[in-house]
Amino acid sequence: LDKLKQELHGKQMGNHIIEVYKHDADTPEGKKMAEEHNVRGFPTHFMIVEGRKIEEGIGRTYDELIAKIKELTGSS
């Protein structure tokens, strides 16, 4: 996730600006994020695209996450 954030945060892909966030569930901000998005276990990965939360099929590895971002943004 750190590599993904370093490479993509703030970058435009297709018509989307990519934002990558990592939250620690032990912090107030992390607890709030977990509650808002019904996180049940850690680590949890999800994407929010145009206000819609996507959890299924995003993967866990760098390559899987990059592939899903490219798919969702129509980038190659």
Side-chain angles (χ1 to χ4, degrees), residues 18-71:
I18 305 302
E19 296 180 8
V20 180
Y21 296 97
K22 180 178 177 181
H23 296 280
D24 182 340
D26 293 328
T27 65
E29 179 184 66
K31 287 178 184 177
K32 181 181 178 190
M33 178 64 78
E35 288 174 12
E36 287 177 6
H37 295 284
N38 201 27
V39 173
R40 300 273 185 227
F42 301 95
T44 297
H45 296 104
F46 59 88
M47 297 179 184
I48 299 174
V49 180
E50 297 176 355
R52 184 176 58 118
K53 181 179 172 184
I54 300 170
E55 294 181 87
E56 300 298 321
I58 67 166
R60 299 189 69 74
T61 69
Y62 172 83
D63 290 336
E64 291 169 335
L65 293 167
I66 286 286
K68 189 64 172 184
I69 290 168
K70 288 180 178 181
E71 174 190 326

Side-chain angles (χ1 to χ4, degrees), residues 2-18:
D2 292 331
K3 181 180 177 182
L4 189 76
K5 183 174 183 172
Q6 180 182 8
E7 292 182 8
L8 294 183
H9 188 78
K11 181 178 178 183
Q12 182 165 347
M13 294 181 76
N15 292 325
H16 302 273
I17 301 295
I18 305 302

